[in-house]
Amino acid sequence: MVLKTFGWSFAVTAIGLALAVLYGGWAAFGLVAILSILEISLSFDNAVVNAGVLKKMSEFWQKIFLTIGILIAVFGMRLVFPVVIVAITAQIGPIEAVDLALNNHERYEELVTDAHPSIAAFGGIFLLMIFLDFIFEDRDIKWLGWLERPLAKLGKVDMLSACVALIVLLVASATVAVHAHQYGGVHVDKSATVLTAGIAGLITYMVVGGLSGFFEDKLEEEEEREQEAEEEARKSGKPVSAAKLVGKAAFFMFLYLEVLDASFSFDGVIGAFAVSNDPVVIALGLGIGAMYVRSLTVYLVRQGTLDDYVYLEHGAHYAIGALAAILLITIQYEINEVITGGIGVLLIAASFWSSIRRNKREALEGDSDSSDSSGPSGSSGSGDKAEVPSGV
């Protein structure tokens, strides 16, 4: 299972590190290795959330996620996206932007850093919406019940998530955006830019997430109708197919996953410049890390980890909320990537540990109920209850 799921990741690692040596020697090898670890640590919560969506998709679309999806993630977000940002913000042509990326690393880094406020606002609001929609939903399983129960009651108010996100955006544009951090340690007023980018992030979430949810609901309705139609099909001998609808549903969920991955990659792309300003080195390092994140996503789905450790998804969404807040704060203040990645890892580790404790507690309660329901002769309902072992 491990080799089948992570085989491509191992291959990409070997090829990426070999290319790093050929490109820049052993120094580039070390930088690529560091960037790979950075990407994995920053995006572990991404894998958990992706797994929650991917488990609803067929094995075919899981393979698409690992093939076409990884091309989008590596070449699109880790290589092309920074160049596009440079071209837009500096108002230069794409060819000139590519020339800067390859031949003037310092100027390229400067332009990407100056574009950080708009990137952080877009990604921060997008991720904040994911967190808010999760925390305001009334769920059967609650991790931090003292917090999640009252928030679930508040979540009954229509459009509450969007209202909260807009309030956060207005506060950010009036505070941290007024003294936005730029290359060289200077600060400028980026209020209008942050406000526009944040609204764009909100619109993107509502459009892509809305379409994904719509087709997912359609898919569930079709599956219910298909079960009823199958009984009639057995009598008439006519096949029943819902392939077209399944394709639409899976496509929009795939699109949602790609936009989600893009938002998660913002902090990694920007943070990578603290390690290297060479776009080739950054693309190799983050690309290797992104491959492992995708393989980990599929592994979690196939192993049923989210079903076994029920609080993992909660921990990942809390990590998303923390990342959204950090992205908005970094509009003005620099925050070390170790802190960003560490918070996410700690939250997921805490949720994993809570899941283990829950599973042990339920197992003990199950053993206790089993003992209580059987008499000395093994019959239930009558006779003295068997003694519960000490320590339970």
Side-chain angles (χ1 to χ4, degrees):
M1 169 63 78
V2 174
L3 185 60
K4 179 181 178 181
T5 306
F6 289 89
W8 279 105
S9 297
F10 297 150
V12 168
T13 301
I15 295 172
L17 292 175
L19 290 174
V21 174
L22 293 174
Y23 176 76
W26 291 106
F29 177 93
L31 292 174
V32 168
I34 292 172
L35 287 169
S36 301
I37 297 172
L38 173 68
E39 175 69 7
I40 294 172
S41 65
L42 288 174
S43 301
F44 188 81
D45 49 353
N46 187 8
V48 177
V49 175
N50 281 354
V53 179
L54 198 65
K55 68 180 181 181
K56 304 173 185 177
M57 301 167 69
S58 66
E59 186 174 349
F60 168 79
W61 280 98
Q62 291 178 14
K63 291 179 179 179
I64 294 293
F65 180 70
L66 269 177
T67 51
I68 297 177
I70 195 62
L71 292 176
I72 297 173
V74 175
F75 295 103
M77 288 309 303
R78 274 71 178 182
L79 185 60
V80 177
F81 171 73
V83 175
V84 172
I85 289 296
V86 167
I88 294 174
T89 56
Q91 296 182 351
I92 60 178
I95 297 177
E96 187 178 352
V98 172
D99 181 66
L100 278 177
L102 296 176
N103 302 314
N104 193 339
H105 297 164
E106 185 174 352
R107 175 60 177 162
Y108 177 76
E109 179 184 353
E110 176 184 348
L111 292 173
V112 173
T113 303
D114 289 347
H116 176 67
S118 58
I119 297 171
F122 182 95
I125 294 300
F126 186 93
L127 294 177
L128 181 61
M129 283 295 297
I130 294 173
F131 168 70
L132 292 174
D133 275 352
F134 180 87
I135 203 68
F136 284 142
E137 184 177 345
D138 189 8
R139 299 177 178 276
D140 294 333
I141 297 176
K142 294 177 175 62
W143 181 31
L144 305 178
W146 57 272
L147 175 64
E148 295 173 11
R149 275 189 288 270
L151 288 177
K153 292 179 180 179
L154 288 174
K156 295 178 181 179
V157 179
D158 290 338
M159 303 300 294
L160 181 61
S161 296
C163 291
V164 172
L166 286 172
I167 291 172
V168 170
L169 178 60
L170 286 173
V171 172
S173 64
T175 54
V176 291
V178 176
H179 302 286
H181 175 77
Q182 298 288 267
Y183 186 80
V186 299
H187 293 82
V188 298
D189 187 352
K190 289 276 187 175
S191 301
T193 300
V194 166
L195 193 60
T196 301
I199 292 175
L202 178 62
I203 292 172
T204 301
Y205 174 83
M206 296 181 74
V207 170
V208 178
L211 287 173
S212 175
F214 172 77
F215 281 102
E216 184 180 349
D217 291 341
K218 284 290 186 181
L219 175 58
E220 291 176 356
E221 293 174 4
E222 183 65 25
E223 286 175 346
E224 292 178 1
R225 287 196 296 267
E226 185 179 354
Q227 291 177 355
E228 298 175 357
E230 279 179 354
E231 297 181 3
E232 299 179 2
R234 292 191 189 98
K235 299 177 181 179
S236 61
K238 296 180 180 180
V240 179
S241 176
K244 184 176 181 181
L245 184 60
V246 172
K248 283 184 179 180
F251 172 76
F252 279 102
M253 280 195 283
F254 172 77
L255 180 61
Y256 174 74
L257 279 175
E258 290 306 315
V259 177
L260 180 64
D261 177 77
S263 297
F264 271 104
S265 69
F266 290 151
D267 62 322
V269 172
I270 299 299
F273 283 97
V275 179
S276 172
N277 60 6
D278 189 323
V280 176
V281 171
I282 290 174
L284 288 173
L286 298 186
I288 292 173
M291 190 68 201
Y292 277 98
V293 171
R294 266 167 159 63
S295 296
L296 181 60
T297 298
V298 175
Y299 182 80
L300 291 174
V301 172
R302 293 176 179 172
Q303 290 292 101
T305 305
L306 297 184
D307 295 328
D308 295 334
Y309 303 98
V310 294
Y311 297 139
L312 264 182
E313 197 168 0
H314 293 72
H317 279 86
Y318 280 107
I320 288 174
L323 178 57
I326 289 172
L327 276 173
L328 294 174
I329 292 172
T330 57
I331 292 174
Q332 179 175 350
Y333 303 100
E334 289 188 79
I335 298 179
N336 192 285
E337 288 71 30
V338 174
I339 297 175
T340 304
I343 291 174
V345 171
L346 285 175
L347 285 168
I348 292 175
S351 65
F352 180 73
W353 175 244
S354 296
S355 299
I356 293 176
R357 292 179 59 189
R358 176 184 183 272
N359 293 342
K360 288 182 178 180
R361 185 170 61 251
E362 289 193 343
L364 289 173
E365 291 175 355
D367 291 341
S368 177
D369 292 342
S370 176
S371 299
D372 290 344
S373 63
S374 60
S377 61
S379 61
S380 61
S382 63
D384 297 332
K385 292 181 180 179
E387 183 181 354
V388 179
S390 60
V392 176

